[in-house]
Amino acid sequence: MDFTAGLVWLLVASAFVLFMTPGLAFFYGGMTRAKAALNMMMMSFIAIGTVTLVWVLWGASMSTSNTDNFFEIFANPFSHFGLHNFTDPADLLHVGYAVTFAIITVALISGAIADRAKFSAWTLFTPIWATLVYAPMAYMVWGGGLFSSTGWFGQTFAPVIDFAGGTVVHINAGVAGLILVLIIGNRKGFGKDPNHRPHNVPLVMLGAAILWFGWFGFNAGAAATVQQAGLIWINTLVAPAAAMLGWLIVERIRDGHPTSLGAASGVVAGLVAITPACANVSPLGAIALGVAAGVASALAVGLKFKLGYDDSLDVVGVHLVSGIIGTVAIGFLATPTQGPAGLFYGGDATQLVAQSLAALCSIVFTGVMTFIIAYPIHKLMGFRISERQEVAGADLSLHAETAYEFGVGAHGGSFQPLHDLITGKVSSEAADEASVPGKESVQA
């Protein structure tokens, strides 16, 4: 087989997308408290381990087009079990590209439950969710399933346009994050404790920069022609730029000042919105889409305080909201040169109806399936750390390490003995110390 330019680009694009998950770890890690930063980053890294194995063993089979499928929802998990039945060498490159999408989708969910989730419960959740939610969604949209041109939905309404993952990635992750938040509950001091603010904004901006860099592979990796790749590249540049400006304008009007965190969040909102539409809208359409996503997500992130759900790092406000905007807007902004025309380009409402129904179906499917997975885990092993561990910090209590050295016995600023935090039992030395009059245990 010749190693064509297209396959070389696919190889490079796969590395770009894989790099996005460590970038997400930086982005999320900087947004948490200092004493939970490592735990937050570990939640992204463990997704690389668990989802990769799932994808190689059965995930790729479940999302690969073939006639052996379950009601057009997922394909036979054993058709390519362990990647044993691929005849074209290029198939492995496509599997490698696909798994990077699965990894980052799972990792995105973790931001909603930052600071309070058990690492063991999260580790168990990730492979199950990738199997029962992500793989079926990937098959339905990209693998020849329900929403494709040959599927029942696609033939009844219209094939869903989702070039790089508005439904499969962002709506999917946003809904899953919301369900987990509702099951696990809010952090101690949610909406009241100022210490829940991001502890390292430069780390957040570094993560956003890595995400933007990787997103060019995320969106353009599957480009079929040079012309399409060029359009996707420009759209992936201008949409987040416009979204960042839209977000900052909202902050300036609402709060009196633009923020670095707002700039980073605006970039991500624009990237999310352009993801499904990157190959089907013009650069002008991408700008309009970016502005809409930046403004809408900037307004949406404040709803969690009004509605009382603790979406720690705004997975719902950014990924769900902008994912819906990007998916539905295709029905208005799609250009006829790239496929079915949207309403603004002389098309009828057919594509708009298909896009809207697909977004709704994705929300329902992911919501129900995530609840079915997460609720038993929460009831059987607990999905949430104890209040004592939360106050001490997830890093020290779950991983016995800290992100920063504050000069207090390498305990990350906690004066409570390490043995006590990890095991929940008071060590003999701590007990002796506590018995001395005038001495008290202090928590960070």
Side-chain angles (χ1 to χ4, degrees):
M1 182 194 73
D2 293 332
F3 207 36
T4 64
L7 292 178
V8 171
W9 167 236
L10 186 62
L11 186 67
V12 173
S14 299
F16 275 28
V17 183
L18 181 60
F19 188 43
M20 289 173 66
T21 298
L24 180 70
F26 286 125
F27 183 73
Y28 277 173
M31 290 176 71
T32 61
R33 297 182 293 178
K35 56 188 176 182
L38 289 180
N39 172 256
M40 190 72 260
M41 298 178 81
M42 276 289 287
M43 291 176 80
S44 287
F45 271 81
I46 198 65
I48 298 176
T50 56
V51 178
T52 296
L53 295 183
V54 164
W55 208 255
V56 169
L57 292 175
W58 58 78
S61 297
M62 293 180 66
S63 61
T64 300
S65 177
N66 59 60
T67 56
D68 187 9
N69 64 77
F70 180 78
F71 294 105
E72 300 181 337
I73 298 174
F74 61 86
N76 182 357
F78 304 104
S79 59
H80 303 292
F81 187 83
L83 308 184
H84 76 284
N85 198 25
F86 285 107
T87 56
D88 186 345
D91 287 341
L92 292 179
L93 278 179
H94 289 92
V95 170
Y97 184 60
V99 69
T100 60
F101 281 69
I103 289 168
I104 196 167
T105 303
V106 174
L108 285 171
I109 301 169
S110 64
I113 53 174
D115 261 354
R116 61 198 187 278
K118 280 186 180 178
F119 188 68
S120 56
W122 170 252
T123 302
L124 176 61
F125 173 82
T126 56
I128 300 175
W129 193 88
T131 300
L132 300 182
V133 183
Y134 181 84
M137 279 299 303
Y139 177 72
M140 285 189 280
V141 176
W142 296 326
L146 187 66
F147 295 123
S148 70
S149 59
T150 58
W152 174 85
F153 183 97
Q155 293 184 340
T156 303
F157 301 100
V160 175
I161 298 174
D162 186 356
F163 192 83
T167 54
V168 181
V169 177
H170 299 294
I171 292 177
N172 212 1
V175 172
L178 177 60
I179 297 300
L180 287 183
V181 166
L182 297 178
I183 291 174
I184 296 174
N186 298 346
R187 289 168 292 178
K188 178 180 173 61
F190 166 64
K192 301 176 182 178
D193 185 355
N195 291 319
H196 284 158
R197 292 176 298 185
H199 85 280
N200 192 330
V201 176
L203 202 63
V204 176
M205 299 192 78
L206 173 63
I210 294 173
L211 286 170
W212 199 347
F213 172 80
W215 225 290
F216 288 100
F218 192 91
N219 282 352
T225 65
V226 174
Q227 292 82 358
Q228 189 180 60
L231 176 65
I232 293 171
W233 202 99
I234 292 298
N235 286 347
T236 306
L237 176 66
V238 299
M244 175 175 60
L245 296 178
W247 190 300
L248 294 179
I249 290 171
V250 170
E251 284 191 331
R252 182 66 179 83
I253 295 172
R254 182 185 60 194
D255 308 321
H257 48 264
T259 67
S260 302
L261 183 64
S265 300
V267 165
V268 174
L271 290 167
V272 170
I274 196 60
T275 294
C278 60
N280 293 86
V281 300
S282 69
L284 288 178
I287 292 173
L289 186 54
V291 171
V295 171
S297 285
L299 296 173
V301 295
L303 292 177
K304 64 183 181 182
F305 299 106
K306 294 181 180 180
L307 300 178
Y309 65 92
D310 185 8
D311 172 21
S312 304
L313 308 185
D314 300 317
V315 178
V316 176
V318 174
H319 292 275
L320 178 57
V321 171
S322 289
I324 292 174
I325 289 173
T327 299
V328 174
I330 293 171
F332 294 100
L333 298 173
T335 60
T337 56
Q338 301 298 323
L343 284 175
F344 294 167
Y345 288 86
D348 58 25
T350 301
Q351 196 63 46
L352 177 61
V353 170
Q355 298 298 124
S356 301
L357 288 177
L360 179 60
C361 290
S362 300
I363 291 170
V364 173
F365 174 80
T366 301
V368 172
M369 292 302 299
T370 302
F371 181 83
I372 291 173
I373 296 167
Y375 190 74
I377 293 176
H378 183 56
K379 287 300 180 182
L380 294 175
M381 63 183 297
F383 218 125
R384 182 173 181 147
I385 60 177
S386 68
E387 182 177 316
R388 191 159 174 267
Q389 290 174 313
E390 186 179 336
V391 171
D395 288 355
L396 197 57
S397 57
L398 297 182
H399 305 289
E401 54 186 352
T402 55
Y404 304 97
E405 170 54 60
F406 295 120
V408 188
H411 291 170
S414 174
F415 293 90
Q416 191 174 7
L418 183 61
H419 178 274
D420 189 6
L421 286 173
I422 298 173
T423 66
K425 301 176 182 178
V426 179
S427 64
S428 57
E429 183 181 345
D432 292 341
E433 240 183 66
S435 65
V436 177
K439 288 204 172 185
E440 297 179 355
S441 175
V442 181
Q443 292 181 343

